[in-house]
């Protein structure tokens, strides 16, 4: 395990979309489209129920394509009706999205809970894609986002920091078409790196992949990738279209 910035990241968050047939067509279409692209880790995050069938059909897939979950419980097993545990996921996925704003705000996930999940992901050999972001566009100081970062990483060891990806996703930009400007996202990514330097050290901060997410499409991805502190994208809507997600991933691969 361990991630670094030598590789870039293109992550597709399908959210609660697709039926089984769509999921298989989409995952196989992306697999075929990204074959031969180097220097970018492409990660598909379908709904839980499609993970296993997709994993089966992608068995002999190119090394640059992996699976991730959109969420998980922090405990291994027990009386938690409707939940999915890290132990169940660890055989099927390499990554897990944690702290997505839709979980924070529709399901009241607190930073303490997200921190438990982050720690549990490390314990189970999963790489968390930790999402942070402010709700209001006028809160450009992003204190809310920095507070999330600090609390979600509570007591995360320096060693585990090399198994983490951070995705900066301003809530106002998610699914709205109102993407943050690349300059704004780049400045926030720099701010995150500065905070990580303060919490850990420069080496940890320099090694940490920081992604941007929020209305990324194939026509704006290059602008984000031009920002030196942005190492890829977490893509929602556009990851449901084979051609768009393949094009986004190819563009990200040009920046390795
Ligand atoms: C997301 O779901 O994390 C996301 C960024 O969505 P979208 O690309 O649709 O804004």
């Amino acid at each position: 395990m361990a991630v670094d910035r030598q590789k870039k990241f293109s992550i597709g968050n399908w959210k609660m979309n697709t039926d089984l047939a769509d999921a298989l067509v989409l995952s196989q279409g992306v697999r075929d489209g990204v074959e031969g692209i180097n220097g970018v880790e492409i990660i598909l995050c379908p709904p839980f129920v499609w993970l296993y069938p997709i994993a089966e059909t992608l068995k002999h897939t190119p090394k640059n394509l992996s699976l991730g979950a959109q969420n998980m419980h922090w405990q291994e097993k027990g009386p938690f009706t409707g939940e999915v545990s890290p132990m169940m996921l660890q055989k099927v996925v390499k990554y897990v999205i944690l702290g997505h704003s839709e979980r924070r705000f529709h399901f009241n996930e607190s930073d303490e809970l997200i921190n438990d999940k982050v720690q549990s992901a490390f314990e189970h050999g999963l790489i968390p894609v930790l999402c942070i972001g402010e709700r209001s566009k006028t809160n450009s100081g992003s204190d809310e986002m920095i507070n999330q970062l600090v609390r979600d990483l509570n007591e995360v060891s320096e060693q585990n920091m090399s198994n983490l990806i951070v995705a900066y996703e301003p809530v106002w930009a998610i699914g709205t078409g109102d993407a943050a400007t690349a300059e704004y996202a780049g400045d926030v990514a720099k701010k995150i790196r500065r905070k990580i330097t303060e919490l850990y050290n420069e080496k940890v901060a320099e090694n940490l992949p920081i992604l941007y997410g929020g209305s990324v499409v194939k026509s704006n991805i290059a602008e984000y990738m031009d920002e030196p502190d942005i190492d890829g994208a977490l893509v929602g809507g556009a990851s449901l279209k084979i051609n768009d997600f393949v094009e986004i991933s190819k563009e990200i691969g040009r920046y390795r």
Side-chain angles (χ1 to χ4, degrees):
M1 232 181 29
V3 288
D4 60 42
R5 297 176 72 203
Q6 300 303 317
K7 255 195 201 169
K8 302 299 173 191
F9 295 86
S10 177
I11 307 183
N13 175 15
W14 298 4
K15 311 193 187 189
M16 198 172 69
N17 292 299
T18 67
D19 61 19
L20 177 58
D22 297 334
L24 294 176
V25 169
L26 182 52
S27 55
Q28 288 165 21
V30 171
R31 175 197 59 194
D32 296 344
V34 302
E35 208 181 330
I37 306 180
N38 296 314
V40 51
E41 176 96 347
I42 297 143
I43 304 163
L44 303 180
C45 303
F48 284 130
V49 280
W50 309 146
L51 280 171
Y52 188 72
I54 291 176
E56 281 294 294
T57 59
L58 297 186
K59 246 182 198 158
H60 306 293
T61 213
K63 286 206 174 61
N64 62 357
L65 186 60
S66 305
L67 289 179
Q70 297 174 17
N71 179 35
M72 66 171 209
H73 197 273
W74 73 97
Q75 301 235 36
E76 288 197 341
K77 59 181 177 171
F80 302 104
T81 303
E83 291 291 322
V84 175
S85 87
M87 208 175 65
M88 297 165 187
L89 288 174
Q90 68 188 169
K91 301 280 187 296
V92 195
V93 305
K94 195 168 157 192
Y95 298 90
V96 58
I97 296 174
L98 295 175
H100 192 281
S101 61
E102 287 154 15
R103 299 235 36 108
R104 288 178 192 267
F105 305 122
H106 297 317
F107 300 99
N108 291 323
E109 290 200 2
S110 65
D111 288 309
E112 291 67 33
L113 179 101
I114 294 162
N115 177 244
D116 284 342
K117 292 183 176 193
V118 167
Q119 296 284 16
S120 174
F122 291 134
E123 281 161 28
H124 293 88
L126 296 166
I127 297 172
V129 179
L130 173 64
C131 301
I132 54 172
E134 76 282 0
R135 270 171 289 191
S136 152
K137 196 172 184 175
T138 49
N139 178 17
S140 53
S142 299
D143 289 345
E144 186 183 6
M145 179 273 301
I146 288 292
N147 286 341
Q148 290 168 353
L149 180 73
V150 173
R151 292 182 186 139
D152 299 348
L153 294 181
N154 186 34
E155 294 193 8
V156 167
S157 68
E158 181 174 337
Q159 197 189 347
N160 276 334
M161 285 300 289
S162 61
N163 297 320
L164 177 80
I165 297 171
V166 168
Y168 167 58
E169 297 209 308
V171 181
W172 46 268
I174 297 179
T176 59
D178 184 20
T181 65
E183 194 189 355
Y184 175 88
D187 282 352
V188 176
K190 200 177 294 157
K191 193 168 173 184
I192 293 171
R193 238 179 261 293
R194 268 205 306 271
K195 192 69 196 176
I196 296 292
T197 307
E198 210 181 293
L199 294 173
Y200 295 89
N201 55 55
E202 204 163 325
K203 189 164 161 250
V204 170
E206 275 311 306
N207 191 58
L208 176 71
I210 300 177
L211 318 186
Y212 168 73
S215 298
V216 168
V217 287
K218 56 185 179 178
S219 58
N220 65 16
I221 183 62
E223 294 166 29
Y224 297 108
M225 295 309 295
D226 276 334
E227 291 294 321
D229 283 294
I230 296 182
D231 305 301
L234 177 50
V235 185
S239 73
L240 293 168
K241 296 182 200 127
I242 296 172
N243 181 262
D244 290 33
F245 189 60
V246 167
E247 287 305 312
I248 289 169
S249 303
K250 280 187 180 164
E251 191 60 38
I252 292 174
R254 291 197 186 102
Y255 286 80
R256 74 200 146 102

